Amino acid sequence: MLAAPLRHLRTLFDPILVRRCAQRLVLCPPGTLVRLSGGEIAVVTHVHAPAPQRPLVRVLFAADGRRLDLPQDRSLWEAVRPDGTLETVEAPVDPGDFGIDPLNYIETA
């Protein structure tokens, strides 16, 4: 019964507008502390409109949990892990667990 309405989604919604809305929905906006697929902890600094799931990040903690003396900026748009896979955001993390305010690590306009 639900299949009939789903069949008409293309006619009910403009596919271009749906794609643009999806690009604007950001799961991890700037200022979000995240765990990367390599295990590092980073703060999202900017989001790429064409691929919001592949933001620019500033890595603050190494995969072993060690705080970096000098944070490293990384674009997940092009970051490749040693095994050849693309680096991704795994999940947001609680900044309280790391004793930091991630907003201190992003530039504001």
Side-chain angles (χ1 to χ4, degrees):
M1 185 141 191
L2 188 58
L6 293 177
R7 179 178 61 219
H8 299 290
L9 282 179
R10 287 198 110 142
T11 59
L12 295 174
F13 300 103
D14 182 337
I16 294 170
L17 290 177
V18 170
R19 188 176 75 232
R20 286 191 178 198
C21 284
Q23 289 174 338
R24 300 292 186 258
L25 294 175
V26 179
L27 298 176
C28 297
T32 304
L33 197 64
V34 296
R35 180 177 315 282
L36 302 179
S37 54
E40 300 98 334
I41 301 297
V43 63
V44 175
T45 57
H46 294 88
V47 176
H48 290 293
Q53 73 281 12
R54 304 192 68 62
L56 295 171
V57 298
R58 182 161 292 147
V59 180
L60 306 176
F61 294 86
D64 63 7
R66 176 183 45 87
R67 188 174 189 149
L68 300 178
D69 293 330
L70 185 62
Q72 302 170 356
D73 291 340
R74 186 178 303 164
S75 171
L76 299 188
W77 182 259
E78 53 199 26
V80 178
R81 296 179 53 209
D83 65 2
T85 60
L86 291 173
E87 187 80 63
T88 60
V89 170
E90 280 193 346
V93 296
D94 185 351
D97 292 345
F98 295 89
I100 63 167
D101 179 355
L103 296 179
N104 292 333
Y105 295 92
I106 62 172
E107 290 91 25
T108 57

